[in-house]
Amino acid sequence: MKGAAVIPHFTDHAANERTYLAWVRTAISVMAFGFLLERFDIFLLYAAKATTQVPAGLHTKASQWLGLSLLLVGALMIVGATGRFYRNRRAIEAEGSSMYGDSWAARGMALLLVLMAIFLTMYVARQIAALS
């Protein structure tokens, strides 16, 4: 096409936006799981009241704290993804080359999610053992 306007580095900008949206979708999923987990204690309490005996190891505060933590991690993921999006956008628009590196915040959140997954696994295993 003659005379058509072309956005410089369009494919790089589009890839940056797709990556940003993937981070936002992941953060929303983490937050939804956190909300579900935080509300899971209500299900446990109603289930315990429906039976005649309450399981000895029923600790619903742990699911509340873990659910709230996942909500916070999801919100931090969105903040971090937004900062990364704008940083990459400036780097794409810059004339010179720049270093690509991982941030300590991304590593910290990944470690935090792994620790939460380990805690959740131990929590569910303990609940199953208490119910049987």
Side-chain angles (χ1 to χ4, degrees):
M1 263 190 197
K2 191 172 185 177
V6 177
I7 299 172
H9 308 288
F10 174 75
T11 56
D12 295 332
H13 285 293
N16 188 33
E17 189 170 341
R18 284 190 302 271
T19 303
Y20 174 67
L21 293 175
W23 273 105
V24 170
R25 280 192 308 269
T26 303
I28 290 171
S29 298
V30 168
M31 291 170 67
F33 182 66
F35 180 77
L36 176 72
L37 190 60
E38 201 272 328
R39 292 295 167 199
F40 184 64
D41 65 327
I42 294 173
F43 169 74
L44 287 176
L45 288 175
Y46 282 124
K49 288 179 183 179
T51 63
T52 55
Q53 70 182 72
V54 177
L58 187 63
H59 299 289
T60 59
K61 290 292 182 189
S63 66
Q64 287 178 342
W65 282 107
L66 188 59
L68 290 174
S69 299
L70 285 172
L71 286 168
L72 179 64
V73 167
L76 290 175
M77 285 174 72
I78 292 175
V79 169
T82 302
R84 185 177 182 149
F85 170 76
Y86 285 113
R87 185 186 68 220
N88 289 341
R89 183 177 178 179
R90 284 190 304 272
I92 292 168
E93 291 173 355
E95 291 297 321
S97 62
S98 61
M99 295 295 293
Y100 179 80
D102 207 4
S103 67
W104 62 269
R107 290 180 189 175
M109 278 200 279
L111 179 64
L112 184 62
L113 285 173
V114 168
L115 290 175
M116 285 183 184
I118 291 170
F119 174 77
L120 183 61
T121 302
M122 292 185 332
Y123 174 75
V124 169
R126 185 174 179 173
Q127 292 300 321
I128 290 172
L131 293 174
S132 52

